[in-house]
Amino acid sequence: MLGALELGFLMDCAETTVMAALERKESRGAQFRTDFPERNDGEWLKHIDVSLAADGPRVSYSPVTITQWQPEERKY
């Protein structure tokens, strides 16, 4: 019984992760997209928020608050 409940929560987390990854039309950090290989701070320096509404998951955005360090591209 507990395993089924935990599986449901894991599926919710997986769905929100996939929705946010598909929503972000750029490559950033560990997320690389072949269709959007470059980072795009002009459009995508924001948080993607996924919440559950009555009709299903809903995507919204919130601003990033930059405090001590400016964002920079990771070099691998």
Side-chain angles (χ1 to χ4, degrees):
M1 180 66 176
L2 181 59
L5 183 64
E6 289 177 343
L7 178 60
F9 292 143
L10 288 169
M11 295 296 289
D12 290 342
C13 288
E15 182 180 16
T16 58
T17 300
V18 169
M19 286 182 69
L22 291 172
E23 187 71 19
R24 185 174 292 281
K25 307 292 192 278
E26 68 162 357
S27 292
R28 178 173 297 270
Q31 177 179 321
F32 180 79
R33 292 187 54 161
T34 56
D35 52 346
F36 298 98
E38 300 298 320
R39 178 184 164 129
N40 183 351
D41 283 347
E43 288 187 47
W44 288 103
L45 187 58
K46 55 188 166 187
H47 297 289
I48 297 175
D49 307 312
V50 181
S51 58
L52 185 59
D55 57 343
R58 179 165 295 147
V59 174
S60 61
Y61 306 96
S62 59
V64 171
T65 302
I66 299 172
T67 56
Q68 191 171 2
W69 293 283
Q70 291 294 319
E72 60 183 51
E73 184 178 356
R74 290 184 181 180
K75 306 284 185 181
Y76 295 103

